[in-house]
Amino acid sequence: FPSHDNLVISEGVFFDNPKNIIVGDNVWIDKYCIFITGKIERHNCKRIKEPTNEGQICIGNNAHLGIRSVFQAHGGIKIGDYFTSGTDVKLYTLSNDVYYSMKGTNSNNQNDLYYNLTPIIIGNNVWLGMQSKVIGGIIGDNIFLKANSVSTQSIQSNSIASGNPAVQIRNRFI
C-alpha cells in the first residue's frame, strides 16, 4: 500500500491481488480479514448492475474493518468514510446463478458455469453489525445494519435495517 496516515493492518490479514485495494487514512484492518479482488473474465457472467470499480475495493477514511470480515470484490466494493464492520461481516459481489448453473459450480467446461456480478456501494457513516452480510446493492449514508442481517438490495439513507432480507425498521437519526 502507498503511505497512509494511521493505516493499521493486524495479524493474519489475507490480500488476494492487493494492487486492487485503495485505502484512505486512519483505517484499521482487524485480525484475519480476507480481501478478494480482481476482474472476473468469464463469458457467462451476468452483470446485475454495471460495476463502478469492477475488481477493486475502495475504502474511505476513518474505517474499522472487523475481525474475520470477508470482502469479495469481483464486482467492485466502494466504502465511504466513517465505516465500521462488526466481527464476521461478509460482503459478496459475485455469486453463482442458480437459474442457469445446471452442472454444479465446479466444471472443467467454462460454458457450464454461470455467475451474477453485483457491485456494492456503501455510503458514509455506515455500521454493519456482527455477522451481517451484504450481497450487492447500495447502502446509503448513516445506516446501521443490525447483527445477522442479510442485505440483498439497496437500503435508503438514515436507516436502521434488520432481517433477511434486510428492511428498514426505523430512522437511525431523528
Side-chain angles (χ1 to χ4, degrees), residues 4 45 49 60-61 66 79-80 107 114 116 128 131 138-140 149 166:
H4 293 281
C45 195
K49 293 183 180 172
N61 298 313
I79 298 172
S107 173
Y114 294 86
N116 294 323
L128 304 179
Q131 298 181 353
I138 298 171
I139 307 295
S149 295

Side-chain angles (χ1 to χ4, degrees), residues 44-170:
N44 289 338
C45 195
K46 178 172 56 174
R47 283 157 174 80
I48 305 299
K49 293 183 180 172
E50 196 56 41
T52 56
N53 57 333
E54 188 171 349
Q56 289 186 334
I57 298 174
C58 300
I59 302 167
N61 298 313
N62 305 301
H64 174 223
L65 286 60
I67 296 171
R68 290 185 309 271
S69 292
V70 175
F71 301 85
Q72 185 265 13
H74 297 301
I77 297 174
K78 184 176 187 306
I79 298 172
D81 296 337
Y82 303 101
F83 173 78
T84 300
S85 70
T87 301
D88 294 309
V89 165
K90 311 290 190 255
L91 280 71
Y92 295 107
T93 64
L94 179 73
S95 61
N96 298 93
D97 191 324
V98 298
Y99 299 107
Y100 293 99
S101 295
M102 298 177 71
K103 295 185 179 179
T105 60
N106 189 26
S107 173
N108 289 332
N109 185 348
Q110 290 294 309
N111 293 324
D112 293 338
L113 303 174
Y114 294 86
Y115 301 94
N116 294 323
L117 194 66
T118 309
I120 295 172
I121 299 171
I122 297 175
N124 295 317
N125 194 28
V126 171
W127 187 342
L128 304 179
M130 293 184 302
Q131 298 181 353
S132 62
K133 294 162 191 65
V134 178
I135 305 168
I138 298 171
I139 307 295
D141 294 331
N142 302 314
I143 301 293
F144 177 69
L145 183 62
K146 292 184 91 171
N148 297 305
S149 295
V150 179
S151 176
T152 59
Q153 56 194 3
S154 295
I155 299 174
Q156 69 181 9
S157 291
N158 193 38
S159 294
I160 293 177
S162 181
N164 181 5
V167 295
Q168 180 183 12
I169 56 174
R170 62 174 278 230

